[in-house]
Amino acid sequence: MEFNCRVGLFILQLLVATFKVGKAHRFPFRGSAMAFAAPSKPKQSSIGQPDYQLASLDLSQKWLELVRNGQVEATVEVPSNNDDGGDKSSPEEMLRVRYGVTLSKEDENKCQEFVVQVGTEQHHENIRVINETLAQLQSDPSTTSVQYEMDGDFVAQLQLVRTLRPPPSPGFAGSTSSEPPPYDEKTDSFVAGPLRLELRPMVGTAKVPGTNIQYDVYHNVSPADSRGHFLLLPTLSLPMLNWRGQKFLPTDFDEMVHLASSVRPHGSLFLGFNSVGAGASQNHIHSHAWPSPPLPFLNEQEEEDSPCKGWNCYAVSKVKSMIDFYDLDGGNIEVTYLKYPLFCVQFSASKEHLDTLSKALYFASGAFGDAPYNIGFLNRPAMDDDGNIVDDSEDDSFVDVYLFVRSKEISSVLPSLKLGVSEAMGLFHAQSDKELEILKAIPGTRDEAGTEDDEERKKRSNGTSIGRYFL
């Protein structure tokens, strides 16, 4: 299913028919767009443990405690033959590998990745390559163990350790629909098997603001960010209600926008959801949370007078061009159909109108049927028309929601790369040096409808665009 201008306009028209349309009006939320020339060689970024909280739960310090106690790690089995066909290895040919996050010896507040073979000295080429890369990146205490390439507002980050993460749930590979397979708690890795969540320490419980609804927070055994990566799940203590497949219900929209509004400092935590066919790998309702800005954007953030903040650092949050927009419910909800390589509609509302925002999201989601989708949630303080913060108080908050609709999960240009909400936002995770090079090597940007305008032709002639990998 291809999503193009006609589908986007249909979604906007559906919302207009459902909500009151306000006078054309723009919430003062966008910072200045910034462009970056692709570097001649991969960059590294300086790092410290940032401050981030969700619903008054200090997740940053909780993460440091987990890492300090050696609890952000997992042990997996990998084929010993170093071959792409190694998944056919017998149990005797499998090697056990332990990986995770540990504290730097030079800085007890700096987290870094590690990988070690367990119980054997047998040489494994892939593990050797990962360790050589990590050793090189971790040799300088002033930098983090992340190598990346920037291309315009898009970025590709080398993510070697995450290649060891657990396999997807049955029925997820190659799905072209967001409808999950029938839920079966026996195959739900979150509640059954060696990786079930009850075997991990619970990070904490986040209460949805203004309600008694609780979300369980666990660490991700294969973190995408060494500074923190969390799973957010409607509490597992209510199995009849919350043991279900990876599909958003109306209540999920409402709870997630309220949780997003509780992030402090503003924009310091990104919340994201992957449907089946759009990056999800486990069939149990859950969302992700990690620090914002992501590691590669820290150099930009540290530049003097830089406008880069957690809420405006991603490629999609820097988009200035739009296809159309409406103000709904008397101007309380702003809906913008963005001009972006991937189909995306942005929804924005103040803290006082989150209930209406969640309803708008639910109605919009009904327009694309069973097409795969991603949702990104960020919050920000009140701003003036120039993007300057005018009120950063605890009581004032705006929420921006990016709703992406997908026609495919894997790029035809790079079929080894599975695209989820991080990639939809503009941050790609390369699984090898080769992928990192490929991501910025092929020029051209087209939208999913296959059209190309003058601005995009200019981009084709002047450089590359990582964003084209959604095509």
Side-chain angles (χ1 to χ4, degrees):
M1 183 177 185
E2 294 291 338
F3 280 83
N4 51 35
C5 292
R6 286 179 296 177
V7 179
L9 294 175
F10 171 74
I11 290 178
L12 292 180
Q13 290 166 2
L14 176 67
L15 292 169
V16 169
T18 307
F19 297 87
K20 298 177 181 179
V21 180
K23 181 180 179 181
H25 167 74
R26 304 298 297 168
F27 282 138
F29 69 95
R30 283 191 171 79
S32 301
M34 298 184 66
F36 301 86
S40 58
K41 60 180 180 179
K43 291 183 178 181
Q44 299 177 26
S45 176
S46 58
I47 175 64
Q49 182 65 9
D51 176 28
Y52 52 87
Q53 302 175 29
L54 178 71
S56 300
L57 184 63
D58 191 339
L59 292 181
S60 179
Q61 289 304 308
K62 292 285 188 180
W63 181 261
L64 284 178
E65 291 174 11
L66 289 170
V67 174
R68 188 175 294 115
N69 294 331
Q71 294 173 311
V72 184
E73 61 178 53
T75 300
V76 296
E77 291 187 337
V78 298
S80 62
N81 56 12
N82 299 306
D83 194 335
D84 290 340
D87 57 347
K88 299 179 181 179
S89 299
S90 66
E92 294 76 16
E93 296 175 314
M94 301 296 284
L95 291 179
R96 297 183 74 225
V97 177
R98 185 165 58 90
Y99 70 96
V101 179
T102 187
L103 293 179
S104 167
K105 295 179 180 180
E106 291 77 18
D107 184 352
E108 63 178 12
N109 290 318
K110 178 182 177 181
C111 300
Q112 58 187 32
E113 297 172 311
F114 73 90
V115 179
V116 295
Q117 290 183 206
V118 179
T120 180
E121 295 183 359
Q122 182 177 352
H123 174 75
H124 190 284
E125 181 64 16
N126 292 342
I127 303 303
R128 182 191 67 79
V129 170
I130 292 176
N131 275 316
E132 283 188 358
T133 302
L134 290 179
Q136 178 183 3
L137 293 170
Q138 295 169 2
S139 62
D140 185 350
S142 65
T143 64
T144 182
S145 54
V146 169
Q147 183 173 303
Y148 65 94
E149 295 275 9
M150 294 200 75
D151 187 0
D153 293 329
F154 292 90
V155 63
Q157 171 180 310
L158 187 61
Q159 202 80 47
L160 296 178
V161 175
R162 195 160 163 76
T163 61
L164 302 172
R165 65 186 182 273
S169 294
F172 270 42
S175 176
T176 57
S177 168
S178 64
E179 190 65 31
Y183 177 77
D184 183 356
E185 64 182 73
K186 296 179 181 178
T187 60
D188 180 354
S189 65
F190 285 176
V191 300
L195 296 177
R196 62 189 184 275
L197 295 178
E198 70 175 6
L199 299 180
R200 307 181 202 178
M202 185 187 292
V203 177
T205 300
K207 183 178 291 187
V208 177
T211 75
N212 290 320
I213 298 171
Q214 294 184 340
Y215 269 60
D216 295 342
V217 183
Y218 289 90
H219 71 274
N220 192 315
V221 295
S222 303
D225 191 318
S226 61
R227 304 168 303 163
H229 185 170
F230 305 90
L231 301 175
L232 309 179
L233 305 92
T235 180
L236 295 174
S237 63
L238 299 174
M240 294 296 292
L241 183 65
N242 295 329
W243 289 22
R244 50 188 169 89
Q246 181 70 347
K247 181 178 181 179
F248 251 37
L249 302 178
T251 52
D252 298 318
F253 284 106
D254 187 60
E255 292 158 10
M256 286 299 294
V257 296
H258 282 85
L259 282 174
S261 73
S262 73
V263 170
R264 294 294 184 276
H266 287 105
S268 61
L269 202 62
F270 171 80
L271 311 184
F273 175 82
N274 298 318
S275 81
V276 180
S281 61
Q282 304 302 320
N283 194 24
H284 185 114
I285 183 64
H286 69 285
S287 297
H288 295 263
W290 56 71
S292 189
L295 291 169
F297 295 116
L298 292 180
N299 284 344
E300 176 191 353
Q301 185 187 42
E302 291 172 357
E303 291 180 1
E304 186 176 359
D305 298 326
S306 169
C308 178
K309 301 295 182 183
W311 59 82
N312 70 359
C313 61
Y314 290 93
V316 70
S317 60
K318 295 179 181 180
V319 172
K320 282 189 170 183
S321 299
M322 66 188 75
I323 296 174
D324 206 348
F325 75 90
Y326 287 98
D327 283 346
L328 306 177
D329 192 37
N332 293 324
I333 311 297
E334 182 184 88
V335 185
T336 309
Y337 181 16
L338 300 178
K339 195 171 187 179
Y340 193 61
L342 177 64
F343 177 93
C344 179
V345 179
Q346 179 180 350
F347 298 77
S348 302
S350 66
K351 182 179 179 180
E352 292 76 17
H353 302 287
L354 296 182
D355 290 340
T356 307
L357 173 62
S358 66
K359 293 177 183 177
L361 289 167
Y362 172 65
F363 278 106
S365 68
F368 49 77
D370 64 353
Y373 60 96
N374 307 102
I375 312 173
F377 303 84
L378 287 165
N379 78 333
R380 56 183 170 82
M383 300 178 183
D384 61 22
D385 291 334
D386 296 322
N388 301 311
I389 297 174
V390 296
D391 188 350
D392 197 18
S393 68
E394 292 291 318
D395 296 328
D396 200 4
S397 180
F398 283 71
V399 174
D400 298 322
V401 183
Y402 299 90
L403 182 58
F404 304 92
V405 187
R406 305 282 295 278
S407 59
K408 52 188 170 182
E409 183 177 45
I410 297 176
S411 169
S412 58
V413 180
L414 190 58
S416 59
L417 184 63
K418 190 175 182 179
L419 307 174
V421 68
S422 178
E423 287 77 15
M425 295 291 291
L427 174 62
F428 288 69
H429 295 101
Q431 301 179 83
S432 66
D433 289 306
K434 181 179 180 181
E435 281 192 1
L436 189 63
E437 288 300 314
I438 292 175
L439 274 169
K440 67 180 291 289
I442 303 177
T445 299
R446 295 183 301 168
D447 61 27
E448 286 202 348
T451 60
E452 187 178 62
D453 63 11
D454 291 338
E455 181 179 347
E456 291 166 337
R457 291 191 191 96
K458 186 181 296 184
K459 184 178 291 186
R460 283 177 66 92
S461 63
N462 291 343
T464 65
S465 176
I466 295 173
R468 79 179 301 274
Y469 286 88
F470 283 105
L471 310 178

